[in-house]
Amino acid sequence: MSPRLATTDGLPETVARPRYDRDTHGVGIVHLGLGAFHKAHQAVATDDALAAAGGDWRIAGVSLRSAAPSEELTPQNGLYTLIERGRDGTRARVVGAIARALALRTDRQAVLDALCAPETRIVSLTVTEKGYGVDRASGGVDLAHPAIQSDLAAPDAPQGVAGLLVWALGRRRAAGVAPFTVLCCDNLPENGHVLRGLLLDFAARAAPDLKDFIASEVAFPSTMVDRITPARGAETLALAEDLTGRRDEAAVETETFTQWVIEDRFPTGRPAWEASGAIFVTDVRPYEDMKLRMLNGAHSMLAYSGFLAGHAHVRDVMRDEALVALIRRHLSAAAATLAPVPGVGLAGYAEDLIERFANPHLAHQTYQIAMDGSQKMPQRIFAPAVEAMRRGQSLEPFAFAAAAWLRYTLGRAEDGAAYDLRDPRAAALATDRADAEGIVRHVEAIPGLIPPELTADAAWHGMVVAKLSRILQDGIRAVLVDEAGSARS
Ligand code: CS2
């Protein structure tokens, strides 16, 4: 059996490794949400920045729920293998940016100390859309969210994002330590703004004297983050061992493409992420909308319809002609809702997405993307549908995506096999109604999910009902073929 990865000594020449002396760089970032996406994206950019420009910018990674990430990384001194898989081959790289890996459950004091440390100048986050506890309708806290409930009840024993950040900002202020910059890296539109709104509302309820301080002193730059990162499987670990000759419990695999657009507002400094290709701009919104509506919108559409049609992976979807036609239709409809994106040609962006989705080496599950639809559909499908309506453009592609999602929320495949919806609003989505009209009306009545512009529009409603009704009656395959036919004509 190969030795476990714990140092870069003796790695094969073909494996890239940190081009800096890890021990001479201190920690400057606490990252909340130590999952595959962070390890494939921001930690890699930080590794590049450290090599190019140095600085005390290594990362203390924290997982808020599971202890597994820290159990995997700690025996490896924070090192892990990043496997980048493109059409032209597979590369392995050992990343050194993570200095410490902690779990809130088991290393609570160390996490709190790291959040309060004067050396911590940035707290970044990838906790998924549902992790924040934002009420999207009000922009404030979601009082039904378990972490918000527990943090409001016991603000001095914080468990969730809002509680931890507000508590730490309060402690820093009391100790005369400058606040950290808060960098949200999840797929939410205006993600910095959303997180700011959440913290202000949380502070108003739990620590009112901090509200104005947070409003005026803490920076929340927005970012658009992009790298397709499948959930890790046993094959990932086997491949890492093959490529490096080391066992690595923390290996991740991802595509070769990576993109990061960041609003340049870091009063407490930042790593030289531009060394890794990050673009700094004053307004991220056009890039975020492009990515959320085109990449993520097409992803959600293909995940629901592809899963129902029996495709386990995105690469299988890309071998299904009808679905590819629908992805193209979706991408151009989504592109038509966007404001111009500086420096980006949307037709070329769409072609690149088709290439990326078709990557034969990535086992990216449709079931993974299908997770948490209630948290994803608003920004990916409903917001562009509202914009398309304003512009007098066709709503068909968005109505199809909505119908496929609604069919998926029923929790059973066409052969009757049940699957777990994996959605925090699963209970609200569940209905006894089995007819399309009943299902659509039920979901339209859930507060804060489908925008009123859509629910009030008879044409939209009728289109979704008709498409869902046809899927229920004739099956997804028949509808895919029909929709693709009209997409091509
Ligand atoms: C995907 C994203 O799981 C999903 O919902 O659409 O995780 C997607 O792969 C990333 O945003 C790509 O950057």
Side-chain angles (χ1 to χ4, degrees):
M1 199 199 266
S2 321
R4 184 134 178 212
L5 176 70
T7 128
T8 55
D9 295 344
L11 283 170
E13 282 305 308
T14 47
V15 179
R17 67 209 70 193
R19 287 171 286 121
Y20 55 93
D21 178 3
R22 296 179 81 215
D23 295 336
T24 60
H25 298 280
V27 169
I29 300 174
V30 172
H31 182 81
L32 305 183
L34 187 50
F37 184 63
H38 173 67
K39 283 155 63 186
H41 190 278
Q42 306 98 60
V44 181
T46 306
D47 205 50
D48 288 337
L50 286 164
D56 289 330
W57 288 117
R58 290 178 74 213
I59 300 167
V62 178
S63 59
L64 296 181
R65 293 145 72 95
S66 155
S70 72
E71 286 166 1
E72 291 158 5
L73 281 161
T74 303
Q76 301 183 180
N77 293 318
L79 294 172
Y80 62 93
T81 313
L82 176 82
I83 306 170
E84 294 173 314
R85 312 199 68 180
R87 277 186 182 274
D88 49 347
T90 294
R91 288 193 299 265
R93 158 176 181 177
V94 169
V95 177
I98 297 182
R100 307 169 67 198
L102 304 167
L104 185 63
R105 286 221 188 118
T106 48
D107 310 300
R108 187 171 177 83
Q109 194 54 47
V111 172
L112 300 180
D113 290 348
L115 287 169
C116 294
E119 298 76 31
T120 298
R121 283 156 291 154
I122 295 175
V123 175
S124 54
L125 302 97
T126 49
V127 296
T128 80
E129 297 89 338
K130 66 171 175 277
Y132 291 91
V134 183
D135 174 344
R136 303 273 192 98
S138 70
V141 297
D142 171 3
L143 292 169
H145 191 277
I148 296 288
Q149 285 177 348
S150 88
D151 288 355
L152 283 175
D156 286 326
Q159 307 292 336
V161 166
L164 283 163
L165 294 178
V166 169
W167 176 88
L169 288 165
R171 294 294 290 249
R172 293 175 79 100
R173 185 190 185 200
V177 172
F180 41 66
T181 296
V182 183
L183 184 63
C184 175
C185 301
D186 277 296
N187 282 323
L188 291 162
E190 298 186 280
N191 52 10
H193 184 75
V194 167
L195 188 45
R196 179 176 187 271
L198 176 78
L199 293 203
L200 292 181
D201 187 38
F202 185 89
R205 296 163 190 265
D209 54 315
L210 280 178
K211 189 178 170 204
D212 290 346
F213 169 77
I214 295 175
S216 60
E217 302 302 320
V218 183
F220 294 86
S222 285
T223 68
M224 179 270 251
V225 288
D226 187 9
R227 192 165 215 189
I228 294 175
T229 306
R232 187 183 62 193
E235 313 76 46
T236 315
L237 305 192
L239 183 58
E241 186 168 352
D242 265 8
L243 294 166
T244 65
R246 300 286 182 281
R247 270 185 312 121
D248 178 356
E249 302 290 332
V252 287
E253 66 183 288
T254 187
E255 61 179 339
T256 46
F257 179 92
T258 182
Q259 192 173 39
W260 200 3
V261 185
I262 313 172
E263 192 184 337
D264 203 357
R265 221 148 38 81
F266 291 85
T268 48
R270 61 166 173 82
W273 284 316
E274 58 274 19
S276 148
I279 303 169
F280 287 89
V281 298
T282 48
D283 182 12
V284 182
R285 187 69 202 245
Y287 301 90
E288 282 182 328
D289 282 348
M290 171 184 80
K291 195 244 168 182
L292 287 166
R293 295 180 185 186
M294 292 181 70
L295 189 161
N296 297 118
H299 246 178
S300 289
M301 184 280 284
L302 74 82
Y304 298 119
S305 52
F307 179 89
L308 293 168
H311 298 307
H313 297 112
V314 178
R315 63 188 177 200
D316 311 324
V317 167
M318 299 308 287
R319 291 191 201 104
D320 182 327
E321 254 181 57
L323 268 160
V324 173
L326 293 183
I327 292 166
R328 289 192 179 279
R329 171 179 81 164
H330 195 92
L331 289 171
S332 65
T337 69
L338 296 170
V341 188
V344 183
L346 295 179
Y349 182 73
E351 282 312 311
D352 290 348
L353 290 177
I354 299 268
E355 275 275 305
R356 290 170 64 195
F357 293 170
N359 186 335
H361 302 293
L362 283 191
H364 196 196
Q365 293 190 345
T366 49
Y367 186 53
Q368 178 186 343
I369 303 169
M371 184 165 59
D372 294 341
S374 67
Q375 312 295 300
K376 295 174 173 174
M377 293 295 282
Q379 59 275 22
R380 297 180 178 201
I381 303 295
F382 303 141
V386 169
E387 185 58 34
M389 183 186 288
R390 270 191 208 122
R391 296 178 184 223
Q393 291 159 359
S394 167
L395 298 181
E396 298 273 345
F398 306 107
F400 172 70
W405 171 58
L406 290 170
R407 170 63 188 81
Y408 179 87
T409 63
L410 303 184
R412 58 183 155 72
E414 293 196 332
D415 64 3
Y419 50 85
D420 181 4
L421 206 55
R422 302 200 297 177
D423 188 305
R425 299 191 86 175
L429 290 165
T431 170
D432 293 339
R433 296 290 295 260
D435 60 307
E437 178 72 31
I439 296 166
V440 175
R441 288 232 176 271
H442 171 79
V443 175
E444 281 177 351
I446 298 177
L449 185 52
I450 306 185
E453 294 92 323
L454 294 179
T455 53
D457 186 73
W460 164 266
H461 175 85
M463 225 180 263
V464 178
V465 171
K467 291 183 195 298
L468 177 58
S469 164
R470 179 92 208 286
I471 298 175
L472 291 169
Q473 211 177 313
D474 301 331
I476 190 77
R477 171 56 51 196
V479 181
L480 285 176
V481 170
D482 273 13
E483 292 273 331
S486 58
R488 288 194 198 96
S489 60

